[in-house]
Coordinates of all heavy atoms in Angstrom, one line a residue:
S13 N 22.3 12.4 -13.5 CA 23.0 11.7 -14.6 C 22.0 10.9 -15.5 O 21.0 10.6 -15.0 CB 24.1 11.0 -14.1 OG 23.6 9.8 -13.4
T14 N 22.5 10.5 -16.6 CA 21.7 9.7 -17.5 C 22.4 8.4 -17.9 O 23.6 8.4 -17.7 CB 21.3 10.5 -18.8 OG1 22.5 10.9 -19.4 CG2 20.5 11.7 -18.5
C15 N 21.7 7.4 -18.3 CA 22.3 6.2 -18.8 C 22.7 6.4 -20.3 O 21.9 7.1 -21.0 CB 21.3 5.0 -18.7 SG 21.2 4.5 -17.0
S16 N 23.8 6.0 -20.6 CA 24.3 6.1 -22.0 C 23.4 5.4 -22.9 O 22.7 4.4 -22.6 CB 25.7 5.5 -22.2 OG 26.6 6.2 -21.3
K17 N 23.4 5.9 -24.1 CA 22.5 5.3 -25.2 C 22.8 3.8 -25.4 O 24.0 3.4 -25.4 CB 22.7 6.0 -26.5 CG 21.7 5.6 -27.6 CD 21.8 6.6 -28.8 CE 21.0 6.2 -30.0 NZ 19.9 5.4 -29.9
D18 N 21.7 3.0 -25.4 CA 21.8 1.6 -25.7 C 22.4 0.7 -24.6 O 22.7 -0.4 -24.8 CB 22.6 1.2 -27.0 CG 21.9 1.9 -28.2 OD1 20.7 1.9 -28.2 OD2 22.6 2.2 -29.1
V19 N 22.7 1.3 -23.4 CA 23.1 0.6 -22.3 C 21.9 0.0 -21.4 O 21.0 0.8 -21.1 CB 24.0 1.5 -21.3 CG1 24.3 0.8 -20.0 CG2 25.2 1.9 -21.9
S20 N 21.9 -1.3 -21.2 CA 20.8 -1.9 -20.5 C 21.0 -1.7 -19.0 O 22.0 -1.7 -18.4 CB 20.8 -3.5 -20.7 OG 20.6 -3.7 -22.1
Y21 N 19.8 -1.4 -18.3 CA 19.9 -1.3 -16.9 C 18.6 -1.8 -16.3 O 17.6 -2.0 -17.0 CB 20.1 0.2 -16.4 CG 19.0 1.2 -16.8 CD1 18.0 1.5 -15.9 CD2 19.0 1.8 -18.1 CE1 17.1 2.5 -16.2 CE2 18.0 2.7 -18.4 CZ 17.1 3.1 -17.5 OH 16.1 4.0 -17.8
T22 N 18.7 -2.1 -15.0 CA 17.5 -2.7 -14.3 C 17.2 -1.8 -13.1 O 18.1 -1.4 -12.3 CB 17.9 -4.1 -13.7 OG1 18.2 -4.9 -14.8 CG2 16.8 -4.7 -12.9
L23 N 15.9 -1.6 -12.8 CA 15.4 -1.0 -11.6 C 14.6 -2.0 -10.7 O 13.8 -2.7 -11.2 CB 14.4 0.1 -11.9 CG 14.9 1.3 -12.7 CD1 13.8 2.2 -13.1 CD2 15.9 2.1 -11.8
K24 N 15.1 -2.2 -9.5 CA 14.4 -3.0 -8.5 C 14.1 -2.4 -7.3 O 14.7 -1.3 -7.0 CB 15.2 -4.3 -8.3 CG 16.5 -4.2 -7.6 CD 17.1 -5.5 -7.5 CE 18.5 -5.4 -6.8 NZ 19.2 -6.6 -6.6
M25 N 13.0 -2.8 -6.6 CA 12.5 -2.1 -5.5 C 12.5 -3.1 -4.3 O 12.0 -4.3 -4.4 CB 11.0 -1.5 -5.8 CG 10.7 -0.4 -4.9 SD 9.1 0.3 -5.5 CE 9.4 0.6 -7.3
S26 N 12.8 -2.6 -3.1 CA 12.9 -3.4 -1.9 C 11.5 -3.7 -1.4 O 10.5 -3.0 -1.8 CB 13.7 -2.7 -0.8 OG 13.1 -1.6 -0.3
S27 N 11.4 -4.5 -0.3 CA 10.1 -4.8 0.3 C 9.7 -3.8 1.3 O 8.5 -3.8 1.8 CB 10.1 -6.2 0.9 OG 11.2 -6.2 1.9
G28 N 10.5 -2.9 1.7 CA 10.3 -1.9 2.8 C 10.2 -2.6 4.1 O 11.0 -3.5 4.4
F29 N 9.3 -2.1 4.9 CA 9.2 -2.7 6.3 C 8.8 -4.1 6.3 O 9.1 -4.9 7.2 CB 8.1 -1.9 7.1 CG 8.5 -0.5 7.4 CD1 7.5 0.5 7.4 CD2 9.7 -0.1 7.7 CE1 7.8 1.8 7.6 CE2 10.1 1.2 8.0 CZ 9.1 2.2 7.9
S30 N 8.2 -4.6 5.3 CA 7.8 -6.0 5.2 C 9.0 -6.9 4.7 O 9.9 -6.3 4.1 CB 6.7 -6.1 4.1 OG 6.4 -7.5 3.8
S31 N 9.0 -8.1 4.9 CA 10.1 -9.0 4.5 C 9.8 -9.6 3.2 O 10.5 -10.4 2.6 CB 10.4 -10.0 5.6 OG 9.3 -10.8 5.7
D32 N 8.6 -9.3 2.5 CA 8.1 -9.9 1.3 C 7.7 -8.9 0.4 O 6.6 -8.1 0.7 CB 6.9 -10.9 1.7 CG 6.5 -11.6 0.5 OD1 6.9 -11.5 -0.6 OD2 5.5 -12.5 0.7
V33 N 8.2 -8.7 -0.8 CA 7.8 -7.7 -1.8 C 6.3 -7.9 -2.2 O 5.7 -7.1 -2.8 CB 8.7 -7.5 -3.0 CG1 10.0 -7.1 -2.6 CG2 8.8 -8.9 -3.7
M34 N 5.9 -9.2 -2.2 CA 4.5 -9.6 -2.6 C 3.5 -9.1 -1.6 O 2.2 -9.2 -1.9 CB 4.5 -11.1 -2.9 CG 5.4 -11.5 -3.9 SD 5.3 -10.7 -5.5 CE 3.6 -11.2 -6.0
A35 N 3.9 -8.8 -0.3 CA 3.0 -8.4 0.7 C 3.4 -7.2 1.5 O 3.8 -7.3 2.7 CB 2.7 -9.5 1.7
R36 N 3.6 -6.1 0.7 CA 4.1 -4.8 1.5 C 3.1 -4.3 2.4 O 1.8 -4.5 2.2 CB 4.4 -3.7 0.4 CG 5.6 -4.1 -0.4 CD 6.0 -2.9 -1.3 NE 7.3 -3.2 -2.0 CZ 7.4 -3.5 -3.3 NH1 6.3 -3.7 -4.0 NH2 8.6 -3.6 -3.8
T37 N 3.6 -3.7 3.6 CA 2.8 -3.0 4.6 C 3.4 -1.7 4.9 O 4.5 -1.5 4.9 CB 2.7 -3.9 5.8 OG1 3.9 -4.2 6.3 CG2 1.9 -5.2 5.6
M38 N 2.4 -0.8 5.3 CA 2.8 0.6 5.8 C 2.4 0.5 7.3 O 1.3 -0.1 7.6 CB 2.0 1.7 5.1 CG 2.5 1.9 3.7 SD 1.6 3.4 3.0 CE 0.6 2.7 1.9
W39 N 3.2 1.1 8.1 CA 2.9 1.2 9.6 C 2.4 2.5 9.9 O 2.8 3.6 9.3 CB 4.3 0.9 10.3 CG 4.7 -0.6 10.0 CD1 4.9 -1.2 8.8 CD2 5.2 -1.5 11.0 NE1 5.4 -2.4 9.0 CE2 5.7 -2.6 10.3 CE3 5.3 -1.3 12.4 CZ2 6.2 -3.7 11.0 CZ3 5.9 -2.4 13.1 CH2 6.3 -3.6 12.4
G40 N 1.6 2.6 11.0 CA 1.1 3.8 11.5 C 2.1 4.5 12.5 O 3.2 3.9 12.6
T41 N 1.7 5.5 13.0 CA 2.7 6.3 14.0 C 2.9 5.4 15.2 O 2.1 4.4 15.5 CB 2.1 7.6 14.3 OG1 0.7 7.4 15.0 CG2 1.9 8.5 13.2
P42 N 4.0 5.7 16.0 CA 4.2 4.9 17.2 C 3.0 4.7 18.1 O 2.3 5.8 18.3 CB 5.4 5.6 17.8 CG 6.1 6.3 16.7 CD 4.9 6.7 15.7
G43 N 2.7 3.6 18.6 CA 1.6 3.3 19.4 C 0.4 2.8 18.7 O -0.5 2.2 19.2
N44 N 0.4 2.9 17.4 CA -0.7 2.3 16.5 C -0.1 1.0 16.0 O 0.8 0.9 15.2 CB -1.0 3.3 15.3 CG -2.1 2.7 14.5 OD1 -2.5 1.6 14.6 ND2 -2.4 3.5 13.4
T45 N -0.8 -0.1 16.3 CA -0.4 -1.4 15.9 C -0.9 -1.9 14.5 O -0.6 -2.9 14.0 CB -0.7 -2.5 16.9 OG1 -2.1 -2.5 17.2 CG2 0.1 -2.2 18.2
D46 N -1.8 -1.0 14.0 CA -2.5 -1.3 12.6 C -1.3 -1.3 11.5 O -0.5 -0.5 11.6 CB -3.5 -0.3 12.3 CG -4.8 -0.6 13.1 OD1 -4.9 -1.7 13.8 OD2 -5.7 0.3 13.2
K47 N -1.5 -2.2 10.5 CA -0.7 -2.1 9.4 C -1.6 -2.0 8.1 O -2.5 -2.8 8.0 CB 0.2 -3.3 9.3 CG 1.2 -3.4 10.4 CD 1.9 -4.7 10.4 CE 2.8 -4.9 11.7 NZ 3.4 -6.2 11.7
L48 N -1.2 -1.1 7.2 CA -1.9 -0.9 6.0 C -1.3 -1.8 4.9 O -0.2 -1.5 4.5 CB -2.0 0.5 5.6 CG -2.7 1.0 4.3 CD1 -4.2 0.6 4.4 CD2 -2.5 2.5 4.1
S49 N -2.0 -2.7 4.3 CA -1.5 -3.5 3.3 C -1.6 -2.7 1.9 O -2.5 -2.0 1.6 CB -2.4 -4.8 3.1 OG -2.2 -5.6 4.2
Y50 N -0.6 -2.8 1.1 CA -0.6 -2.2 -0.3 C 0.4 -3.0 -1.1 O 1.2 -3.8 -0.7 CB -0.2 -0.7 -0.1 CG 1.3 -0.5 0.1 CD1 2.0 -0.1 -1.0 CD2 2.0 -0.8 1.3 CE1 3.4 0.1 -0.9 CE2 3.3 -0.5 1.5 CZ 4.1 -0.1 0.4 OH 5.4 0.0 0.5
N51 N 0.5 -2.5 -2.4 CA 1.6 -3.0 -3.2 C 1.8 -2.1 -4.4 O 1.0 -1.2 -4.6 CB 1.5 -4.4 -3.7 CG 2.7 -5.2 -3.6 OD1 3.8 -4.5 -3.8 ND2 2.8 -6.4 -3.1
L52 N 3.0 -2.2 -5.0 CA 3.5 -1.3 -6.1 C 3.6 -2.1 -7.3 O 4.0 -3.3 -7.3 CB 4.8 -0.7 -5.8 CG 4.6 0.2 -4.4 CD1 6.0 0.7 -4.1 CD2 3.7 1.3 -4.6
Y53 N 3.1 -1.6 -8.5 CA 3.1 -2.4 -9.7 C 3.8 -1.6 -10.8 O 4.0 -0.4 -10.9 CB 1.6 -2.6 -10.1 CG 1.0 -3.4 -9.0 CD1 0.3 -2.8 -8.0 CD2 0.9 -4.8 -9.1 CE1 -0.3 -3.5 -6.9 CE2 0.3 -5.5 -8.1 CZ -0.3 -4.9 -7.0 OH -0.9 -5.6 -6.1
T54 N 4.1 -2.4 -11.9 CA 4.8 -1.8 -13.0 C 3.8 -1.2 -14.1 O 4.2 -0.5 -15.0 CB 5.6 -2.8 -13.8 OG1 4.8 -3.9 -14.2 CG2 6.8 -3.4 -12.8
E55 N 2.5 -1.5 -13.9 CA 1.5 -1.0 -14.8 C 0.2 -0.7 -14.1 O -0.1 -1.2 -13.1 CB 1.3 -2.0 -16.0 CG 0.5 -3.2 -15.7 CD 1.2 -4.2 -14.7 OE1 2.4 -4.5 -14.9 OE2 0.6 -4.6 -13.8
V56 N -0.6 0.1 -14.7 CA -1.8 0.5 -14.1 C -2.9 -0.6 -13.9 O -3.7 -0.6 -12.9 CB -2.6 1.6 -15.0 CG1 -3.1 1.0 -16.3 CG2 -3.6 2.4 -14.2
A57 N -2.8 -1.7 -14.7 CA -3.6 -2.9 -14.4 C -3.3 -3.6 -13.1 O -4.0 -4.6 -12.8 CB -3.5 -3.8 -15.6
A58 N -2.1 -3.3 -12.5 CA -1.7 -3.9 -11.3 C -1.6 -5.4 -11.3 O -2.0 -6.2 -10.5 CB -2.7 -3.6 -10.1
T59 N -0.9 -5.8 -12.4 CA -0.7 -7.3 -12.6 C 0.7 -7.7 -12.1 O 0.8 -8.9 -11.5 CB -0.8 -7.5 -14.1 OG1 -2.1 -7.1 -14.6 CG2 -0.6 -9.1 -14.4
N60 N 1.7 -6.9 -12.4 CA 3.1 -7.3 -12.0 C 3.6 -6.5 -10.9 O 3.8 -5.3 -11.0 CB 4.1 -7.1 -13.3 CG 3.7 -8.0 -14.4 OD1 3.8 -9.2 -14.3 ND2 3.3 -7.4 -15.6
V61 N 3.8 -7.1 -9.8 CA 4.4 -6.4 -8.6 C 5.9 -6.1 -8.9 O 6.7 -6.8 -9.3 CB 4.4 -7.4 -7.3 CG1 5.1 -6.7 -6.1 CG2 3.0 -7.7 -7.0
W62 N 6.1 -4.8 -8.6 CA 7.5 -4.2 -8.9 C 8.2 -4.5 -7.6 O 8.0 -4.0 -6.6 CB 7.4 -2.8 -9.1 CG 8.7 -2.1 -9.6 CD1 10.0 -2.6 -9.5 CD2 8.9 -0.9 -10.4 NE1 10.9 -1.7 -10.1 CE2 10.2 -0.7 -10.7 CE3 8.0 0.0 -10.8 CZ2 10.7 0.4 -11.4 CZ3 8.4 1.1 -11.6 CH2 9.7 1.3 -11.8
G63 N 9.3 -5.4 -7.7 CA 10.0 -5.8 -6.6 C 11.5 -6.0 -7.0 O 12.0 -5.3 -7.7
D64 N 12.1 -7.0 -6.4 CA 13.5 -7.3 -6.6 C 13.7 -8.6 -7.5 O 14.9 -9.1 -7.6 CB 14.2 -7.5 -5.3 CG 13.6 -8.6 -4.4 OD1 12.8 -9.3 -4.8 OD2 14.0 -8.7 -3.2
G65 N 12.6 -9.1 -8.1 CA 12.7 -10.3 -8.9 C 12.6 -11.6 -8.0 O 12.6 -12.7 -8.7
S66 N 12.4 -11.5 -6.7 CA 12.1 -12.7 -5.9 C 10.7 -13.1 -6.0 O 9.8 -12.2 -6.3 CB 12.6 -12.4 -4.5 OG 11.8 -11.4 -3.9
G67 N 10.4 -14.4 -5.8 CA 9.0 -14.9 -5.8 C 8.4 -14.5 -7.2 O 9.0 -14.7 -8.3
S68 N 7.2 -13.9 -7.2 CA 6.5 -13.5 -8.5 C 6.8 -12.1 -8.8 O 6.2 -11.6 -9.8 CB 5.0 -13.8 -8.3 OG 4.8 -15.2 -8.1
S69 N 7.6 -11.3 -8.1 CA 7.8 -10.0 -8.4 C 8.7 -9.8 -9.6 O 9.5 -10.7 -9.9 CB 8.4 -9.3 -7.1 OG 9.8 -9.6 -7.0
V70 N 8.7 -8.6 -10.2 CA 9.6 -8.4 -11.3 C 10.4 -7.2 -11.1 O 10.1 -6.3 -10.4 CB 8.7 -8.1 -12.7 CG1 7.9 -9.3 -13.0 CG2 7.8 -6.9 -12.5
K71 N 11.6 -7.2 -11.8 CA 12.5 -6.1 -11.9 C 12.1 -5.4 -13.3 O 11.6 -6.1 -14.1 CB 13.9 -6.5 -11.9 CG 14.4 -7.2 -10.6 CD 15.8 -7.5 -10.7 CE 16.1 -8.9 -11.4 NZ 17.4 -9.4 -11.4
V72 N 12.4 -4.2 -13.4 CA 12.1 -3.4 -14.6 C 13.4 -3.3 -15.4 O 14.4 -2.8 -14.9 CB 11.5 -2.0 -14.3 CG1 11.2 -1.3 -15.6 CG2 10.1 -2.2 -13.6
N73 N 13.4 -3.8 -16.6 CA 14.6 -3.9 -17.5 C 14.4 -2.8 -18.5 O 13.4 -2.8 -19.2 CB 14.8 -5.2 -18.1 CG 15.1 -6.3 -17.1 OD1 16.0 -6.1 -16.2 ND2 14.3 -7.3 -17.2
L74 N 15.4 -1.9 -18.6 CA 15.2 -0.8 -19.6 C 16.5 -0.6 -20.3 O 17.6 -1.3 -20.0 CB 15.0 0.6 -18.8 CG 13.7 0.5 -18.0 CD1 13.6 1.7 -17.0 CD2 12.4 0.7 -18.9
T75 N 16.5 0.3 -21.3 CA 17.7 0.6 -22.1 C 17.9 2.1 -22.2 O 16.9 2.8 -22.4 CB 17.6 0.0 -23.6 OG1 17.3 -1.3 -23.5 CG2 18.8 0.3 -24.4
G76 N 19.1 2.5 -21.8 CA 19.4 3.9 -21.8 C 19.2 4.6 -23.2 O 19.4 3.9 -24.2
T77 N 18.8 5.9 -23.2 CA 18.5 6.6 -24.4 C 19.6 7.8 -24.5 O 19.6 8.5 -25.6 CB 17.2 7.3 -24.4 OG1 17.1 8.1 -23.3 CG2 16.1 6.2 -24.4
G78 N 20.4 8.0 -23.4 CA 21.3 9.1 -23.4 C 20.7 10.4 -22.8 O 21.4 11.4 -22.8
I79 N 19.3 10.4 -22.7 CA 18.7 11.5 -22.0 C 17.9 11.1 -20.8 O 17.8 9.8 -20.6 CB 17.8 12.2 -23.0 CG1 16.7 11.3 -23.5 CG2 18.5 12.8 -24.2 CD1 15.6 12.0 -24.4
A80 N 17.5 12.0 -19.9 CA 16.8 11.5 -18.7 C 15.6 10.8 -19.0 O 14.8 11.0 -20.0 CB 16.4 12.8 -17.9
Q81 N 15.3 9.7 -18.3 CA 14.1 8.8 -18.4 C 13.4 8.8 -17.1 O 14.0 8.9 -16.1 CB 14.6 7.5 -18.8 CG 15.2 7.4 -20.2 CD 15.7 6.0 -20.5 OE1 16.9 5.7 -20.3 NE2 14.9 5.1 -21.1
T82 N 12.1 8.5 -17.2 CA 11.3 8.3 -16.0 C 10.6 6.9 -16.1 O 10.4 6.4 -17.1 CB 10.1 9.4 -15.9 OG1 9.3 9.3 -17.0 CG2 10.7 10.8 -15.9
S83 N 10.3 6.4 -14.8 CA 9.5 5.2 -14.8 C 8.5 5.4 -13.8 O 8.7 5.9 -12.6 CB 10.4 4.1 -14.1 OG 11.5 3.8 -15.2
T84 N 7.2 5.1 -14.2 CA 6.1 5.4 -13.3 C 5.8 4.1 -12.4 O 5.8 3.0 -12.9 CB 4.8 5.6 -14.2 OG1 5.2 6.7 -15.0 CG2 3.6 5.9 -13.3
V85 N 5.5 4.3 -11.1 CA 5.1 3.3 -10.2 C 3.6 3.5 -9.9 O 3.2 4.6 -9.7 CB 6.0 3.4 -8.9 CG1 5.5 2.4 -7.9 CG2 7.4 3.5 -9.2
Y86 N 2.9 2.4 -10.0 CA 1.4 2.3 -9.7 C 1.2 1.6 -8.3 O 1.8 0.6 -8.1 CB 0.7 1.6 -10.7 CG 0.9 2.3 -12.1 CD1 2.0 1.9 -12.9 CD2 0.1 3.3 -12.6 CE1 2.2 2.5 -14.2 CE2 0.4 3.9 -13.8 CZ 1.3 3.5 -14.6 OH 1.6 4.1 -15.8
G87 N 0.5 2.3 -7.4 CA 0.1 1.7 -6.2 C -1.3 1.2 -6.1 O -2.2 1.8 -6.8
Q88 N -1.5 0.3 -5.3 CA -2.9 -0.2 -5.0 C -3.0 -0.7 -3.6 O -2.2 -1.3 -3.0 CB -3.2 -1.4 -6.0 CG -4.7 -1.8 -6.0 CD -5.0 -2.9 -6.9 OE1 -4.5 -4.0 -6.7 NE2 -5.6 -2.6 -8.0
L89 N -4.2 -0.3 -3.0 CA -4.6 -0.7 -1.7 C -5.8 -1.7 -1.7 O -6.7 -1.5 -2.4 CB -5.0 0.5 -0.8 CG -4.1 1.7 -0.6 CD1 -4.8 2.8 0.0 CD2 -3.0 1.2 0.3
P90 N -5.6 -2.9 -1.1 CA -6.8 -3.7 -1.0 C -8.0 -3.1 -0.3 O -7.7 -2.3 0.6 CB -6.3 -4.9 -0.2 CG -4.8 -4.9 -0.3 CD -4.5 -3.4 -0.4
L91 N -9.2 -3.5 -0.7 CA -10.4 -3.0 -0.1 C -10.6 -3.6 1.3 O -10.0 -4.5 1.7 CB -11.6 -3.3 -0.9 CG -11.6 -2.6 -2.3 CD1 -12.8 -3.2 -3.1 CD2 -11.7 -1.2 -2.2
N92 N -11.4 -2.9 2.1 CA -11.9 -3.4 3.3 C -10.8 -3.6 4.4 O -10.8 -4.6 5.1 CB -12.8 -4.7 3.2 CG -13.9 -4.5 2.3 OD1 -14.6 -3.5 2.3 ND2 -14.2 -5.6 1.5
Q93 N -10.0 -2.6 4.5 CA -8.9 -2.6 5.6 C -9.5 -1.6 6.6 O -9.5 -0.4 6.3 CB -7.6 -2.1 5.0 CG -7.0 -3.1 4.0 CD -5.6 -2.7 3.7 OE1 -4.7 -2.8 4.5 NE2 -5.4 -2.3 2.5
Y94 N -10.0 -2.2 7.7 CA -10.6 -1.2 8.7 C -9.5 -1.0 9.8 O -9.3 -1.6 10.7 CB -11.8 -2.0 9.4 CG -12.7 -2.4 8.3 CD1 -12.8 -3.6 7.9 CD2 -13.6 -1.4 7.7 CE1 -13.8 -4.0 6.8 CE2 -14.5 -1.7 6.7 CZ -14.6 -3.0 6.3 OH -15.5 -3.3 5.3
L95 N -8.9 0.2 9.5 CA -7.7 0.7 10.4 C -8.1 2.0 11.0 O -8.9 2.8 10.6 CB -6.5 0.9 9.5 CG -6.2 -0.3 8.6 CD1 -5.0 0.1 7.7 CD2 -5.7 -1.5 9.4
K96 N -7.3 2.3 12.1 CA -7.4 3.6 12.7 C -6.9 4.7 11.8 O -6.0 4.5 11.1 CB -6.5 3.6 14.0 CG -6.9 2.6 15.0 CD -5.8 2.7 16.1 CE -6.0 1.6 17.1 NZ -4.8 0.9 17.5
P97 N -7.6 5.9 11.7 CA -7.1 6.9 11.0 C -5.8 7.3 11.5 O -5.5 7.4 12.7 CB -8.1 8.1 11.2 CG -9.4 7.4 11.8 CD -8.9 6.2 12.5
D98 N -4.8 7.5 10.6 CA -3.3 7.7 11.0 C -2.6 8.1 9.7 O -3.2 8.0 8.6 CB -2.8 6.6 11.7 CG -1.6 6.8 12.5 OD1 -1.1 8.0 12.5 OD2 -1.2 5.9 13.3
D99 N -1.3 8.5 9.9 CA -0.4 8.6 8.8 C 0.3 7.3 8.6 O 1.1 7.0 9.6 CB 0.6 9.8 9.0 CG -0.1 11.1 9.0 OD1 -1.1 11.3 8.3 OD2 0.3 12.0 9.8
Y100 N 0.1 6.6 7.6 CA 0.9 5.3 7.4 C 2.0 5.5 6.4 O 1.8 6.2 5.4 CB -0.1 4.3 6.9 CG -1.2 3.8 7.9 CD1 -2.3 4.5 8.1 CD2 -0.9 2.7 8.8 CE1 -3.3 4.2 9.0 CE2 -1.9 2.4 9.7 CZ -3.0 3.1 9.8 OH -4.0 2.8 10.7
T101 N 3.1 4.9 6.8 CA 4.4 5.1 5.9 C 5.1 3.8 5.7 O 5.0 2.8 6.5 CB 5.3 6.1 6.5 OG1 5.7 5.7 7.8 CG2 4.7 7.5 6.7
D102 N 5.9 3.7 4.8 CA 6.9 2.6 4.5 C 8.2 3.2 4.0 O 8.2 4.5 3.6 CB 6.3 1.7 3.4 CG 6.9 0.3 3.4 OD1 7.9 0.1 4.3 OD2 6.6 -0.5 2.7
N103 N 9.3 2.5 4.0 CA 10.5 3.0 3.5 C 11.2 2.1 2.5 O 11.5 0.9 2.9 CB 11.5 3.3 4.7 CG 12.7 3.9 4.4 OD1 12.9 4.4 3.3 ND2 13.7 4.0 5.4
L104 N 11.1 2.4 1.2 CA 11.6 1.6 0.2 C 13.0 2.1 -0.3 O 13.3 3.2 -0.3 CB 10.7 1.5 -0.9 CG 9.2 1.1 -0.6 CD1 8.3 1.3 -1.7 CD2 9.2 -0.4 -0.1
T105 N 13.7 1.0 -0.9 CA 14.9 1.4 -1.6 C 14.8 1.0 -3.0 O 14.4 -0.1 -3.4 CB 16.1 0.7 -1.0 OG1 16.3 1.0 0.4 CG2 17.5 1.0 -1.7
V106 N 15.1 1.9 -4.0 CA 15.1 1.6 -5.3 C 16.6 1.5 -5.8 O 17.4 2.4 -5.6 CB 14.4 2.7 -6.2 CG1 14.5 2.4 -7.7 CG2 13.0 2.8 -5.8
T107 N 16.9 0.4 -6.4 CA 18.3 0.1 -6.8 C 18.4 0.1 -8.4 O 17.6 -0.6 -9.0 CB 18.8 -1.3 -6.3 OG1 18.7 -1.3 -4.9 CG2 20.2 -1.5 -6.7
L108 N 19.3 0.8 -8.9 CA 19.6 0.9 -10.4 C 20.9 0.1 -10.6 O 21.9 0.4 -10.0 CB 19.7 2.4 -10.8 CG 19.9 2.5 -12.3 CD1 19.2 3.7 -12.9 CD2 21.4 2.5 -12.7
S109 N 20.8 -0.9 -11.5 CA 22.0 -1.7 -11.7 C 22.2 -1.7 -13.3 O 21.3 -1.8 -14.1 CB 21.8 -3.2 -11.3 OG 21.6 -3.2 -10.0
Y110 N 23.5 -1.6 -13.6 CA 23.8 -1.6 -15.1 C 25.1 -2.3 -15.4 O 25.9 -2.7 -14.4 CB 23.8 -0.2 -15.7 CG 24.8 0.7 -15.1 CD1 26.0 1.0 -15.7 CD2 24.6 1.5 -14.0 CE1 27.0 1.8 -15.2 CE2 25.5 2.3 -13.4 CZ 26.7 2.5 -14.0 OH 27.7 3.3 -13.5

C-alpha cells in the first residue's frame, strides 16, 4: 500500500537485541559470546542514528506522495572489532506511524 498524498508519516526503528538504539549489537551463533557493534543511520555520512527518537536517535519524518516510496538505511561497523568469524545477526522492528 502507499501513503496518501500530503499525509505525514514517521518511520522509527527499534534497538534490536540491544536495549539502546545508540549502541546496537549483533550476536553470533549459539555458543559464540562475541557481539559485533554496529549502527544504522539516516544518511551516508553516518551522523544521525536512525532509531525511535529516544536519546540522540532520530525518527524519519516523511510526507506521502500517493505512490510507493523508499527509504535508504545506511549501516556502519566500528573499526578494530576482533571477533570470531561467524554469522552475526540482529532483529529490528520498523514502525510506520501516520
Side-chain angles (χ1 to χ4, degrees):
S13 68
T14 59
C15 287
S16 299
K17 186 173 177 21
D18 298 326
V19 171
S20 297
Y21 65 98
T22 302
L23 294 173
K24 62 182 180 178
M25 206 172 306
S26 71
S27 59
F29 293 142
S30 170
S31 61
D32 182 1
V33 294
M34 300 304 292
R36 289 185 171 107
T37 55
M38 289 187 249
W39 296 46
T41 56
N44 179 357
T45 58
D46 288 347
K47 295 177 187 170
L48 179 63
S49 296
Y50 79 102
N51 224 322
L52 302 173
Y53 299 88
T54 59
E55 74 292 313
V56 72
T59 304
N60 296 300
V61 172
W62 193 336
D64 58 5
S66 65
S68 298
S69 76
V70 297
K71 299 181 275 186
V72 175
N73 298 306
L74 301 162
T75 302
T77 61
I79 59 174
Q81 293 174 270
T82 61
S83 294
T84 303
V85 179
Y86 300 91
Q88 187 176 71
L89 300 170
L91 296 174
N92 301 321
Q93 296 188 66
Y94 302 103
L95 309 172
K96 296 174 192 141
D98 202 348
D99 291 327
Y100 291 87
T101 60
D102 197 0
N103 187 5
L104 303 171
T105 300
V106 176
T107 303
L108 182 143
S109 302
Y110 62 98

